[in-house]
Amino acid sequence: MELIERSLVLVKPDGVKRGLVGNIIHRFEQAGLKIVAMKMVWVDQAHVAKHYPDSRQDLMEAIGKRTLETFEKYGLEPEKVLGTANAVDIGRMTNQWNKDFLSSGPVVAVVLEGIHAIDSVRMIVGHTLPSMAQPGTIRGDLSIDSPALATTRKRPVRNLAHASGNVAEATYETDLWFKPKEIHDYKRADEDVMFG
Protein backbone atom coordinates (compact mmCIF):
# COMPACT_ATOMS: atom_id res chain seq x y z
CA MET A 1 0.00 0.00 0.00
CA GLU A 2 1.52 3.34 -1.02
CA LEU A 3 0.34 5.06 2.18
CA ILE A 4 2.70 2.84 4.17
CA GLU A 5 5.98 4.62 4.88
CA ARG A 6 9.07 4.06 6.97
CA SER A 7 10.69 6.66 9.18
CA LEU A 8 13.93 6.63 11.11
CA VAL A 9 13.89 7.71 14.75
CA LEU A 10 17.00 8.16 16.85
CA VAL A 11 16.62 8.33 20.60
CA LYS A 12 19.58 10.62 21.23
CA PRO A 13 22.07 10.30 24.09
CA ASP A 14 19.98 12.59 26.35
CA GLY A 15 16.95 10.28 25.94
CA VAL A 16 19.06 7.18 26.58
CA LYS A 17 20.86 8.66 29.60
CA ARG A 18 17.57 9.85 31.12
CA GLY A 19 16.06 6.35 30.80
CA LEU A 20 13.29 7.46 28.43
CA VAL A 21 13.80 4.92 25.62
CA GLY A 22 10.88 2.71 26.67
CA ASN A 23 8.55 5.67 27.13
CA ILE A 24 9.46 7.10 23.73
CA ILE A 25 9.14 3.77 21.86
CA HIS A 26 5.85 3.04 23.65
CA ARG A 27 4.27 6.21 22.26
CA PHE A 28 4.97 5.14 18.68
CA GLU A 29 3.73 1.58 19.17
CA GLN A 30 0.63 2.81 20.99
CA ALA A 31 -0.22 4.99 17.97
CA GLY A 32 -0.09 1.95 15.67
CA LEU A 33 3.40 2.37 14.23
CA LYS A 34 5.32 -0.87 13.83
CA ILE A 35 8.98 -1.32 14.79
CA VAL A 36 10.68 -3.03 11.85
CA ALA A 37 14.26 -2.43 13.03
CA MET A 38 15.88 -1.35 16.29
CA LYS A 39 19.35 -1.32 17.84
CA MET A 40 21.50 0.53 20.33
CA VAL A 41 24.76 1.88 18.94
CA TRP A 42 27.50 4.30 19.94
CA VAL A 43 28.57 5.84 16.65
CA ASP A 44 31.75 7.68 15.79
CA GLN A 45 32.18 11.13 14.23
CA ALA A 46 32.61 9.66 10.74
CA HIS A 47 29.17 8.02 10.88
CA VAL A 48 27.53 11.09 12.43
CA ALA A 49 29.06 13.30 9.72
CA LYS A 50 27.01 11.31 7.19
CA HIS A 51 23.85 11.91 9.23
CA TYR A 52 24.56 15.64 9.69
CA PRO A 53 26.51 16.59 6.51
CA ASP A 54 28.09 20.06 6.29
CA SER A 55 27.96 20.04 2.50
CA ARG A 56 24.55 21.71 2.08
CA GLN A 57 25.14 25.46 2.29
CA ASP A 58 21.37 26.15 2.14
CA LEU A 59 20.81 23.94 5.20
CA MET A 60 23.69 25.53 7.12
CA GLU A 61 22.31 28.98 6.31
CA ALA A 62 18.79 27.99 7.42
CA ILE A 63 20.10 26.64 10.74
CA GLY A 64 22.13 29.82 11.25
CA LYS A 65 19.17 32.08 10.43
CA ARG A 66 16.99 30.27 12.98
CA THR A 67 19.73 30.77 15.57
CA LEU A 68 19.98 34.47 14.72
CA GLU A 69 16.19 34.81 15.05
CA THR A 70 16.42 33.25 18.51
CA PHE A 71 19.20 35.65 19.47
CA GLU A 72 17.11 38.61 18.30
CA LYS A 73 14.03 37.36 20.16
CA TYR A 74 15.92 37.12 23.45
CA GLY A 75 18.10 40.23 23.00
CA LEU A 76 21.35 38.29 22.69
CA GLU A 77 24.33 39.45 20.62
CA PRO A 78 25.67 36.70 18.34
CA GLU A 79 29.11 38.29 17.96
CA LYS A 80 29.59 38.35 21.75
CA VAL A 81 28.40 34.78 22.28
CA LEU A 82 29.53 33.03 19.09
CA GLY A 83 32.13 35.38 17.63
CA THR A 84 30.15 35.86 14.41
CA ALA A 85 26.78 36.92 13.02
CA ASN A 86 27.24 35.07 9.73
CA ALA A 87 24.35 32.62 9.29
CA VAL A 88 26.35 29.96 7.42
CA ASP A 89 29.18 30.02 9.99
CA ILE A 90 26.66 29.72 12.82
CA GLY A 91 24.90 26.88 10.99
CA ARG A 92 28.18 24.99 10.64
CA MET A 93 28.96 25.61 14.32
CA THR A 94 25.55 24.32 15.39
CA ASN A 95 25.87 21.32 13.07
CA GLN A 96 29.22 20.45 14.69
CA TRP A 97 27.61 20.61 18.14
CA ASN A 98 24.93 18.20 16.87
CA LYS A 99 27.60 15.82 15.57
CA ASP A 100 29.57 15.99 18.82
CA PHE A 101 26.45 15.30 20.86
CA LEU A 102 25.13 12.42 18.75
CA SER A 103 28.49 10.65 19.09
CA SER A 104 28.81 11.40 22.84
CA GLY A 105 26.87 8.36 24.05
CA PRO A 106 24.64 5.46 23.03
CA VAL A 107 21.82 6.10 20.57
CA VAL A 108 18.79 3.87 19.99
CA ALA A 109 18.03 3.75 16.27
CA VAL A 110 14.56 2.62 15.24
CA VAL A 111 12.81 2.20 11.90
CA LEU A 112 9.05 2.63 12.25
CA GLU A 113 6.53 1.60 9.61
CA GLY A 114 2.93 2.62 9.18
CA ILE A 115 0.34 4.77 7.45
CA HIS A 116 1.90 8.20 6.81
CA ALA A 117 4.70 7.17 9.20
CA ILE A 118 6.89 10.21 8.52
CA ASP A 119 4.23 12.81 9.39
CA SER A 120 2.84 10.67 12.21
CA VAL A 121 6.24 10.25 13.84
CA ARG A 122 7.01 13.96 13.60
CA MET A 123 3.63 14.80 15.13
CA ILE A 124 4.23 12.40 18.03
CA VAL A 125 7.77 13.71 18.59
CA GLY A 126 6.67 17.36 18.54
CA HIS A 127 8.35 20.64 17.58
CA THR A 128 12.13 20.46 17.18
CA LEU A 129 12.52 22.99 19.98
CA PRO A 130 11.15 21.46 23.21
CA SER A 131 10.28 24.88 24.62
CA MET A 132 7.83 25.25 21.70
CA ALA A 133 6.53 21.66 21.60
CA GLN A 134 2.88 21.01 22.43
CA PRO A 135 1.89 19.07 25.56
CA GLY A 136 1.17 15.46 24.66
CA THR A 137 4.19 15.21 22.36
CA ILE A 138 7.42 13.51 23.39
CA ARG A 139 9.37 16.76 23.47
CA GLY A 140 6.48 18.73 24.98
CA ASP A 141 6.09 16.28 27.85
CA LEU A 142 9.67 15.22 28.49
CA SER A 143 11.94 18.18 27.74
CA ILE A 144 12.00 21.94 28.13
CA ASP A 145 15.37 22.89 26.61
CA SER A 146 15.53 26.12 24.62
CA PRO A 147 17.66 27.26 21.69
CA ALA A 148 18.72 30.39 23.58
CA LEU A 149 20.13 28.37 26.49
CA ALA A 150 21.72 25.78 24.21
CA THR A 151 23.45 28.34 21.98
CA THR A 152 24.79 30.42 24.85
CA ARG A 153 26.22 27.17 26.31
CA LYS A 154 27.62 26.28 22.86
CA ARG A 155 25.78 22.98 22.59
CA PRO A 156 22.84 21.60 20.60
CA VAL A 157 19.27 21.72 21.83
CA ARG A 158 18.67 18.55 23.81
CA ASN A 159 15.42 17.40 22.25
CA LEU A 160 15.55 13.65 22.98
CA ALA A 161 14.95 12.30 19.49
CA HIS A 162 15.53 12.76 15.78
CA ALA A 163 12.77 11.97 13.28
CA SER A 164 13.08 11.87 9.49
CA GLY A 165 11.58 14.92 7.78
CA ASN A 166 10.50 13.52 4.42
CA VAL A 167 10.57 10.37 2.26
CA ALA A 168 14.01 11.05 0.74
CA GLU A 169 15.50 11.76 4.16
CA ALA A 170 13.86 8.68 5.69
CA THR A 171 15.23 6.46 2.91
CA TYR A 172 18.74 7.92 3.17
CA GLU A 173 18.79 7.71 6.99
CA THR A 174 17.38 4.18 7.11
CA ASP A 175 20.08 3.02 4.69
CA LEU A 176 22.72 4.85 6.74
CA TRP A 177 21.76 3.30 10.08
CA PHE A 178 20.56 -0.19 9.04
CA LYS A 179 21.57 -2.98 6.68
CA PRO A 180 18.67 -4.51 4.69
CA LYS A 181 18.91 -7.78 6.68
CA GLU A 182 18.33 -5.81 9.92
CA ILE A 183 14.88 -4.64 8.75
CA HIS A 184 12.06 -7.12 9.33
CA ASP A 185 8.70 -7.66 7.67
CA TYR A 186 5.92 -9.05 9.86
CA LYS A 187 2.30 -8.35 10.76
CA ARG A 188 1.22 -6.86 14.08
CA ALA A 189 -1.80 -8.46 15.72
CA ASP A 190 -3.78 -5.20 15.61
CA GLU A 191 -3.15 -4.26 11.97
CA ASP A 192 -6.44 -5.68 10.66
CA VAL A 193 -8.41 -3.89 13.38
CA MET A 194 -6.65 -0.56 12.83
CA PHE A 195 -6.21 -0.55 9.05
CA GLY A 196 -8.39 -3.32 7.60
Side-chain angles (χ1 to χ4, degrees):
M1 205 159 87
E2 64 231 22
L3 301 176
I4 300 287
E5 297 174 337
R6 287 184 176 165
S7 181
L8 180 91
V9 170
L10 301 176
V11 181
K12 296 179 182 179
D14 54 332
V16 173
K17 290 177 183 178
R18 289 182 55 202
L20 297 173
V21 174
N23 186 323
I24 290 168
I25 301 300
H26 174 70
R27 289 172 183 239
F28 297 124
E29 286 192 302
Q30 196 173 31
L33 292 158
K34 177 170 54 177
I35 297 170
V36 295
M38 183 166 67
K39 62 184 171 183
M40 178 182 271
V41 292
W42 193 327
V43 292
D44 58 22
Q45 282 276 330
H47 184 86
V48 174
K50 294 174 187 171
H51 184 82
Y52 290 126
D54 283 324
S55 57
R56 287 187 46 208
Q57 175 120 350
D58 60 328
L59 180 60
M60 296 302 107
E61 186 173 12
I63 292 168
K65 283 181 176 178
R66 283 195 307 267
T67 302
L68 289 170
E69 288 167 7
T70 298
F71 269 60
E72 185 176 338
K73 179 178 179 179
Y74 292 103
L76 301 169
E77 298 178 40
E79 292 92 350
K80 278 188 178 177
V81 178
L82 302 174
T84 182
N86 179 282
V88 174
D89 291 343
I90 292 170
R92 288 189 197 287
M93 196 180 306
T94 303
N95 202 45
Q96 185 59 51
W97 298 337
N98 284 327
K99 289 190 277 191
D100 291 343
F101 183 63
L102 201 60
S103 61
S104 72
V107 171
V108 174
V110 184
V111 178
L112 297 167
E113 184 179 271
I115 305 291
H116 306 296
I118 295 163
D119 289 339
S120 296
V121 166
R122 290 185 71 81
M123 182 179 62
I124 292 165
V125 170
H127 195 285
T128 303
L129 305 176
S131 59
M132 298 177 70
Q134 293 293 314
T137 65
I138 290 168
R139 292 173 179 148
D141 289 349
L142 304 174
S143 182
I144 196 163
D145 200 11
S146 82
L149 176 65
T151 306
T152 58
R153 300 252 169 110
K154 297 185 171 131
R155 64 166 175 80
V157 173
R158 294 181 182 142
N159 63 3
L160 303 173
H162 163 82
S164 300
N166 56 53
V167 173
E169 192 174 284
T171 302
Y172 171 79
E173 292 173 351
T174 298
D175 292 345
L176 176 64
W177 289 86
F178 290 93
K179 297 178 178 117
K181 68 179 183 176
E182 296 175 307
I183 300 172
H184 305 282
D185 186 24
Y186 66 98
K187 189 171 185 176
R188 272 181 42 159
D190 61 355
E191 284 185 48
D192 288 337
V193 174
M194 292 183 72
F195 312 118

